[in-house]
Amino acid sequence: MKIDDYPALSDTTGREYENWSALVEAEANGYMLIAIITSTRNGKTKRWPVAYGPYPTKHEATKAKGRLRTKWRREQREY
């Protein structure tokens, strides 16, 4: 199941939406990209979030996600 298969309730307004995408569309000031960076060294794994945005539309955020993924893969190959 996907997150859009469930109804969503806004904690701020108390309004119920058909799904999470509808809630974000109605109440957000933009879209953010959140990446979880993982590093393993000496058998220990560290994770930390990195945020990019906000982007005015979901389409712009999706395009930025593709650009960032390409950039990270290129840098990983060069490393």
Side-chain angles (χ1 to χ4, degrees), residues 2 7 11 14 18 30 33 35 40 45 54 58-60 73 77:
K2 296 180 181 178
D11 291 339
E18 181 181 330
L33 294 178
T40 303
T45 301
K58 189 173 184 176
H59 179 69
E60 289 295 321
R73 285 183 178 165
R77 280 192 309 266

Side-chain angles (χ1 to χ4, degrees), residues 38-59:
T38 304
S39 174
T40 303
R41 186 176 286 178
N42 298 330
K44 295 182 180 180
T45 301
K46 293 183 180 180
R47 292 181 181 93
W48 62 96
V50 180
Y52 297 93
Y55 299 95
T57 64
K58 189 173 184 176
H59 179 69

Side-chain angles (χ1 to χ4, degrees), residues 5 8 14 19 22 26 28-29 37 45 59 74:
D5 293 340
N19 57 42
N29 293 328
I37 306 298
T45 301
H59 179 69
R74 184 180 325 115

